[in-house]
Amino acid sequence: MLLGLPSECILNILKHVGVADVIATGGCCRVLQTIIKDDKFWQDLSEAKWGQAVTQLKPLAEICTLAHEEPTPAVGQADFNESLSWFTYASKRMCLKSIRSSPLSLIQEDYPDPWQHIICCVLCSRTSGSARIRSTIAAFFSTFPTPTTVLEADVADITAVIHPLGLQPTRLAAVKAVSHDFLATDWQEPSQFKGCGKFVADSWKVFCKGHRVSRGIHDVKLTQYLAWVNRWDAQEQGGCHDHKPQAQVRQQHHTEQKPGSHNTEARRVTRSQARAAAGPHK
């Protein structure tokens, strides 16, 4: 189906999914596999996700990489070149896979893209999380959907949008800094960004990188989400092996409870056979 679409449409679809899902599409056919193996595809995907500023700022990230990585006998030239590729650049900044929506309805669940996720946490920190806060953050991303649009925007325009959140100077400085450093530095986790503390880093790990261990995570809502998603994953894995038989048992049980069911006589025969086989009661 994807093969019949223009390349712009394919990019528009894939920019909304996790890197694991993008790579998985390469298993559909050889044509998609060839496309995804091309480093130019990852450049185009990066520009589709984060705007044209990514082309100008990626060289700055490479300088950061060069500052602490050099080809060595242990790290060959090919591996070193791979560390500077568009694939490595893009995949590092993408979410691992899609976020599972929970009954908690946390606002972070709405923003799987790591840049949006980090900005969301910056904007919602020290707020009540009310409907007004959610609508303000949604309006922010509607107005400034990429780091490029933030970097190009006038300060007054951003301030006007985030005004309902309070602490405008602090949030504005953080939003501008994160949008630049997200693209221009060889960052390892969001705590390296201005205005991003442990909550932002933990939320990014849980929702964008698939972290599933609650130890060391102190935010109550994040630990509740982890408890829920771990139960969900366990039930899904358990159901994969025996889902159909369990469904059949539930359906059969439901049928047997109906008055006048045609299975009643069969159950009586089965019970009689069981008593006969067991012998006299002692």
Side-chain angles (χ1 to χ4, degrees), residues 213-226:
V213 179
S214 60
R215 177 178 296 178
I217 294 180
H218 303 147
D219 183 78
V220 174
K221 293 296 185 183
L222 287 179
T223 56
Q224 288 176 346
Y225 178 85
L226 282 172

Side-chain angles (χ1 to χ4, degrees), residues 154-172:
D154 187 78
V155 168
D157 293 335
I158 298 177
T159 302
V161 175
I162 66 175
H163 183 268
L165 304 176
L167 303 172
Q168 293 94 332
T170 301
R171 297 190 198 280
L172 173 65

Side-chain angles (χ1 to χ4, degrees), residues 114-131:
W115 172 75
Q116 289 192 340
H117 192 92
I118 294 167
I119 295 294
C120 167
C121 292
V122 168
L123 294 179
C124 74
S125 64
R126 288 176 285 178
T127 68
S128 63
S130 65

